[in-house]
Amino acid sequence: MDLKELYQEIILDHGKNPRNKKKCDGFNKEAEGYNPLCGDKVHVFLKLDDNKKVIDVSFEGEGCAISMASASIMTEIVKGKDFDIAKKIISEFLTMIREGSKITINNVSKNENVTMMSLSGVKKFPMRVKCATLAWHTFISAAEEKKETVNTEKID
Amino acid sequence: MDLKELYQEIILDHGKNPRNKKKCDGFNKEAEGYNPLCGDKVHVFLKLDDNKKVIDVSFEGEGCAISMASASIMTEIVKGKDFDIAKKIISEFLTMIREGSKITINNVSKNENVTMMSLSGVKKFPMRVKCATLAWHTFISAAEEKKETVNTEKID
Amino acid sequence: MDIKLIKSQFPIFQEKINGKPLIYLDSANSSQKPKRVIDRISKFYQKEFSNIGRSVHSLAVTATNRFEETRDIVKKYINAKSREEIIFTKNATESINLIATTYGEKFIQKGDEILITELEHHSNYVPWHFIRQRKGAVIKFAECNDKGEVDVDEIRKLISSKTRIIALTHLSNVTGAILPIKKIIDLAKTKKIPVLIDGSQAAPHLPLNMQELGCDFYAISCHKMYGPTGVGILYAKKKWLDELSPYHGGGGMIEEVKKDGITFAESPAKYEAGTLQTAEVVGFSESIKFIENIGIKNIMQHEKEIMEYGLEQLRKHNSVKIIGDPKSRGSIISFTIKGIHPHDIATILDEDGVAIRAGHHCCQILHEKFGIAATARVSLGIYNSKEDIDVLSKAINNCKKVFKI
Amino acid sequence: MDIKLIKSQFPIFQEKINGKPLIYLDSANSSQKPKRVIDRISKFYQKEFSNIGRSVHSLAVTATNRFEETRDIVKKYINAKSREEIIFTKNATESINLIATTYGEKFIQKGDEILITELEHHSNYVPWHFIRQRKGAVIKFAECNDKGEVDVDEIRKLISSKTRIIALTHLSNVTGAILPIKKIIDLAKTKKIPVLIDGSQAAPHLPLNMQELGCDFYAISCHKMYGPTGVGILYAKKKWLDELSPYHGGGGMIEEVKKDGITFAESPAKYEAGTLQTAEVVGFSESIKFIENIGIKNIMQHEKEIMEYGLEQLRKHNSVKIIGDPKSRGSIISFTIKGIHPHDIATILDEDGVAIRAGHHCCQILHEKFGIAATARVSLGIYNSKEDIDVLSKAINNCKKVFKI
Ligand SMILES: Cc1ncc(COP(=O)(O)O)c(C=O)c1O
Ligand SMILES: Cc1ncc(COP(=O)(O)O)c(C=O)c1O
């Protein structure tokens, strides 16, 4: 049943108890994301060091289980990684969500891979894809210091 | 065949050789009529005496055979009659065009009755009804000194 | 009244959604269409189609007659004083924009006040916002109380000598509240302030009587009235249509066109530029016949029964919170479930074939007021039954199961 | 190409007009609809209908996909750069009003010049007239020559440092002239003046390639393209849609709505307020497929052949005068008959089942220029054949007989 694929244990857990849902200490970059269709909002806070390594990352926001879980998972995945690597991972993640492909990049642990893949169920729910991708886009926007709010109507 | 009813000999004759198509001498009232759908235009000139008798009446204008014939016939019918009687005749004429009734008023000669009835064929051609009634409305407008152009979209 | 029989007139209910029968609870968004409406459109294209009002050939005459007959049918259905008061637009949104623009342009100046309510759909706020921006006017929002209603006193309080128009919804598309518009219109009349009613939600569910209401403008959305998409109606008192400027410029709305000036046709032509939604308008005549055949009173009564059953069933769920509790309620129920976001609810319900809407329903002001980003909304049509509510209720249980609540 | 087979796809040709087969020569007014378009609309209502873009349930997903797929199909068909450049309106008239209003509001000031031509349909003049009135701008009319054409030099002559926009028809709906719009656009580019093309008549008959043309705006009327009524298209370069203000305000075109301010969605949503013409847009996807199946080149060639045969046959009638003689002509022929008013011609032709249009065809400026109040107009579609012209020719003989010419 597709619903079980969508609302996997991992997602329900992250949705209910999102990790890193706060303003992280000493963040030096941030960005907002917005999904005008649903009203989902996410605000990403990011601490990059001079070598562009993600020292810390967190988010605030409100939205459906998918968007909150997705934001929570995103913070776990990218924290501690170099931004360039994080960007590659995110690119694979977005392709996975859109096209149902596997994640093959070897910069993520097996565990991380499983966690990211827990969001693969949204592919069968086209109206929910944007919920799953919002935080990831917003992270990149924060790191690259784009001025505008990420708007799911403008991306994807 | 309906076409023969529409384009009766009398109408073709009046259409080709309209009577009283000029500015009549000494007119003291006038009004314009316009059919925005077809572009038919008619300008009625009218000489009423103090007793409201139609001393002279004429028209200028351009339009289809029906509208020109109808204007020509109108001038013939009302000329020499008291305005109040002309108004009654016109009222019967308009009902005839709309509802296909006969003209029973006894202020018109048998000949005049036949001439007016020659326009009865338009009833079967709803898009042409306004062509047949424009001049008659405009005559009344002239006599009653209404300011606005008669517009077939506003009447009927 | 045999609801099964009525429902069987809607072909869509033969479809399966995720293998389940369709339980359509999203009629406030757009209603489904009965076969006679769908067939009328087809037949029109198949046998009668031509552009209207311009050509003198037989097809054009037929098409024009069918189109204009619909205007008469609408006039009669809403009891307007004259057919010239019925303008066909593309949706209720255009109807409201038309008035906001033409009335606003002429009668609203810097510092003038536009009075709307916190319940308004974006379609009855954004057009006034444009006027606010262009003219430097002020928009005042009549407050909505805890029950999701706006009462006459709230309106009275906000009326001032600068109020130029009152624009408000007849029936809230979120709380379902039916506003006391007759009283508000009567009040406004004593102050000589024109009133625009957004009837998008009311028109499918309440009797409409323009002469009795006495409002100046009334906007209708035909696709919510079992009608085709692409048609809206603007009712406006004749004096306004005479007084206001035209809106869209183009073919059909002119009287005479010269290089240095243009004169315009009278209404309704004045406000209907270009080729109209001919087939859709003709199709809509069947929607009104459909409603009239059942009788709007019967529709109201049936929907009320289902709505009340729905409230009862929803209230049985501890975790469900119903938004607003209006004394007079149309067949709309918005709710939230503690711990489950409305979008997740909608997705899970859909698995059971239950179609509801989740979101802010184009009422962000109201959602902000209630401090929630989104709600789930159940809205009814004549085809709904108590069984639909039962399926809904079971599907809500499923939501709770998925989310382990 | 088997025209009989193509014609058989149009149900209306099974109808009799005054007991005669329908000879439809009024496609410039509105084209007839092939069965696949009619059926698509029915099927959509029967099996897929729901409001789009707002709900997350399955029906809404399907409907949204069908709707947005049509945008992609249109984008591809007219070779726009991106799908965001395709705005669905209710007709070409609205498309032009949208641009005249939003562009005019922002970029046209007192004394500025709007350059149009004497060939323009009222829909491409009245909206600019509104801007002229509101802003104190000037409208300059490029002259149409005896052949019913407007050439590049005429445009060049009128361009000044005050010209803010050039708006002109691609194909005249009276003389049939195809204007050298590519050259005019190239010229305008050197002067940095944006160009709006009224493509209402061209779109059904000529290949469309926005990127090659390079125009800023292009208006299309879907009901003239074998499509449903109630849909038009506005193509606009992305940069304009980003830069101009929204037009209608309402649901779907906003980003965030607060009491003291509103931010707007990006195009296309920015310009598509309220519930759209969902079924009609979806139906239109079949119109494009219909055209593509035949091939626009084949359509052009066929229509050209019939049009030339029509000119030849009409010229055989001494009393017939053809209006204009453009070098490059679309399948439109306007004419007069000495001694018979066009309305009488149309009525008499109709008795023989021949549907033509008579009047000023929403081009009063042009008719005044030619010193005639009205013309009779024959306009072709893919379903017309030489036999239709033969029936027309005989029907004209009948006109002459009735009028004893
Ligand atoms: C050249 C031209 N422009 C504009 C229009 C207006 O198109 P629509 O009626 O679809 O708005 C037409 C058709 O009537 C036309 O022929
Ligand atoms: C209260 C209200 N007003 C206006 C609208 C807009 O109607 P439409 O989408 O037909 O323009 C809607 C429906 O979406 C509504 O519910």
Side-chain angles (χ1 to χ4, degrees), chain D residues 78-80 182 185-186 189 208-215 235:
Chain D
I78 70 172
N79 193 26
K182 174 70 177 138
I185 293 163
D186 288 347
K189 266 191 194 145
L208 298 177
N209 189 329
M210 293 304 124
Q211 290 188 73
E212 199 180 289
L213 264 183
C215 59
Y235 160 82

Side-chain angles (χ1 to χ4, degrees), chain B residues 50-70:
Chain B
D50 290 348
N51 300 322
K52 295 191 80 185
K53 185 175 160 142
V54 180
I55 303 296
D56 204 357
V57 58
S58 68
F59 78 103
E60 285 180 350
E62 51 181 337
C64 64
I66 307 296
S67 69
M68 290 300 103
S70 171

Side-chain angles (χ1 to χ4, degrees), chain D residues 119-186:
Chain D
L119 287 174
E120 297 318 308
H121 188 281
H122 295 159
S123 290
N124 197 23
Y125 169 31
V126 187
W128 301 111
H129 167 74
F130 289 158
I131 292 295
R132 168 168 69 184
Q133 278 195 316
R134 203 173 319 142
K135 293 299 197 88
V138 174
I139 297 181
K140 283 197 181 171
F141 291 85
E143 264 199 61
C144 144
N145 63 24
D146 289 351
K147 297 184 176 234
E149 303 159 330
V150 173
D151 61 29
V152 187
D153 286 340
E154 178 59 27
I155 300 283
R156 184 177 292 117
K157 234 168 59 192
L158 292 179
I159 289 179
S160 83
S161 63
K162 292 186 162 178
T163 310
R164 291 291 161 265
I165 192 157
I166 302 175
L168 79 170
T169 190
H170 193 165
L171 197 167
S172 161
N173 64 315
V174 176
T175 69
I178 298 171
L179 302 196
I181 59 163
K182 174 70 177 138
K183 284 186 193 148
I184 294 170
I185 293 163
D186 288 347

Side-chain angles (χ1 to χ4, degrees), chain D residues 171-376:
Chain D
L171 197 167
S172 161
N173 64 315
V174 176
T175 69
I178 298 171
L179 302 196
I181 59 163
K182 174 70 177 138
K183 284 186 193 148
I184 294 170
I185 293 163
D186 288 347
L187 168 65
K189 266 191 194 145
T190 67
K191 317 260 179 186
K192 297 206 163 52
I193 303 167
V195 178
L196 176 143
I197 303 293
D198 175 358
S200 304
Q201 291 301 336
H205 306 288
L206 301 177
L208 298 177
N209 189 329
M210 293 304 124
Q211 290 188 73
E212 199 180 289
L213 264 183
C215 59
D216 297 271
F217 312 107
Y218 197 96
I220 291 175
S221 178
C222 299
H223 67 94
K224 298 187 204 280
M225 273 180 93
Y226 309 109
T229 49
V231 202
I233 289 166
L234 167 65
Y235 160 82
K237 274 192 186 151
K238 180 81 165 51
K239 66 161 185 178
W240 290 117
L241 296 176
D242 290 344
E243 191 162 352
L244 298 175
S245 297
Y247 185 49
H248 290 150
M253 51 73 78
I254 55 93
E255 185 177 77
E256 194 156 21
V257 175
K258 295 188 179 295
K259 281 190 181 174
D260 55 0
I262 300 176
T263 55
F264 301 104
E266 296 279 288
S267 70
K270 180 177 174 184
Y271 293 99
E272 293 180 342
T275 300
L276 297 177
Q277 311 86 302
T278 327
E280 294 73 28
V281 167
V282 171
F284 183 60
S285 67
E286 291 295 320
S287 309
I288 295 194
K289 288 178 198 163
F290 169 80
I291 292 173
E292 284 187 321
N293 270 4
I294 302 175
I296 188 74
K297 293 268 162 65
N298 293 326
I299 293 177
M300 280 171 73
Q301 201 196 317
H302 170 72
E303 289 175 349
K304 192 170 160 57
E305 201 178 309
I306 309 303
M307 185 264 289
E308 280 170 357
Y309 183 71
L311 281 173
E312 194 186 308
Q313 295 305 308
L314 284 172
R315 286 195 180 115
K316 285 188 185 160
H317 295 270
N318 293 332
S319 44
V320 167
K321 183 169 170 236
I322 290 164
I323 306 303
D325 182 26
K327 269 190 295 288
S328 179
R329 186 199 278 267
S331 53
I332 288 176
I333 308 174
S334 296
F335 64 95
T336 54
I337 303 181
K338 219 182 150 204
I340 317 183
H341 190 278
H343 280 100
D344 295 311
I345 301 173
T347 294
I348 299 170
L349 259 52
D350 186 57
E351 280 296 308
D352 285 328
V354 179
I356 64 155
R357 186 167 165 200
H360 54 55
H361 317 299
C362 301
C363 288
Q364 282 195 339
I365 302 290
L366 185 66
H367 279 76
E368 190 169 307
K369 160 121 194 169
F370 285 149
I372 36 181
T375 51

Side-chain angles (χ1 to χ4, degrees), chain C residues 30-255:
Chain C
S30 192
S31 66
Q32 293 297 339
K33 321 301 172 201
K35 188 162 184 299
R36 63 189 291 172
V37 172
I38 304 172
D39 288 351
R40 186 67 190 91
I41 297 171
S42 293
K43 187 182 153 207
F44 182 72
Y45 282 131
Q46 279 168 17
K47 295 177 179 288
E48 302 166 303
F49 180 74
S50 139
N51 208 336
I52 61 168
R54 302 176 173 185
S55 297
V56 300
H57 56 74
S58 301
L59 278 178
V61 175
T62 312
T64 306
N65 289 347
R66 293 301 92 82
F67 186 91
E68 293 300 335
E69 277 158 25
T70 307
R71 202 188 302 276
D72 292 324
I73 290 171
V74 171
K75 179 224 159 216
K76 196 161 154 268
Y77 185 73
I78 70 173
N79 193 26
K81 199 163 176 187
S82 75
R83 65 192 315 280
E84 289 78 21
E85 298 181 325
I86 312 298
I87 310 291
F88 289 112
T89 60
K90 74 173 167 183
N91 50 30
T93 300
E94 191 190 355
S95 302
I96 299 172
N97 275 273
L98 195 164
I99 293 305
T101 305
T102 57
Y103 178 88
E105 199 54 63
K106 193 155 183 174
F107 293 105
I108 298 179
Q109 310 304 338
K110 197 169 157 66
D112 283 348
E113 292 168 6
I114 298 158
L115 177 46
I116 71 174
T117 86
E118 290 178 340
L119 288 173
E120 298 317 308
H121 187 281
H122 295 159
S123 290
N124 198 23
Y125 168 32
V126 187
W128 302 111
H129 167 74
F130 289 159
I131 292 296
R132 168 168 70 183
Q133 279 195 316
R134 201 173 319 140
K135 294 301 197 88
V138 174
I139 296 181
K140 283 196 180 171
F141 291 85
E143 264 200 61
C144 143
N145 62 24
D146 288 351
K147 297 185 175 235
E149 304 160 329
V150 173
D151 61 28
V152 187
D153 286 339
E154 178 58 28
I155 300 283
R156 185 177 291 115
K157 233 168 57 192
L158 292 179
I159 290 179
S160 83
S161 63
K162 291 186 164 179
T163 310
R164 291 291 161 267
I165 192 157
I166 302 174
L168 79 170
T169 190
H170 192 164
L171 197 166
S172 161
N173 64 315
V174 176
T175 68
I178 297 172
L179 301 197
I181 58 162
K182 174 72 178 136
K183 284 187 192 148
I184 293 171
I185 293 163
D186 287 347
L187 168 67
K189 266 193 193 143
T190 66
K191 316 260 179 187
K192 295 206 163 55
I193 303 167
V195 178
L196 176 142
I197 303 293
D198 174 0
S200 303
Q201 290 300 338
H205 306 288
L206 301 177
L208 299 177
N209 188 331
M210 293 303 126
Q211 290 188 73
E212 199 179 290
L213 263 185
C215 61
D216 297 271
F217 312 107
Y218 197 98
I220 292 174
S221 179
C222 299
H223 66 94
K224 296 187 205 281
M225 275 180 92
Y226 310 109
T229 51
V231 202
I233 289 167
L234 168 66
Y235 159 84
K237 274 193 186 151
K238 181 80 165 52
K239 68 161 184 179
W240 290 117
L241 296 175
D242 290 345
E243 192 162 351
L244 299 175
S245 298
Y247 184 50
H248 289 150
M253 50 72 79
I254 56 93
E255 185 177 77

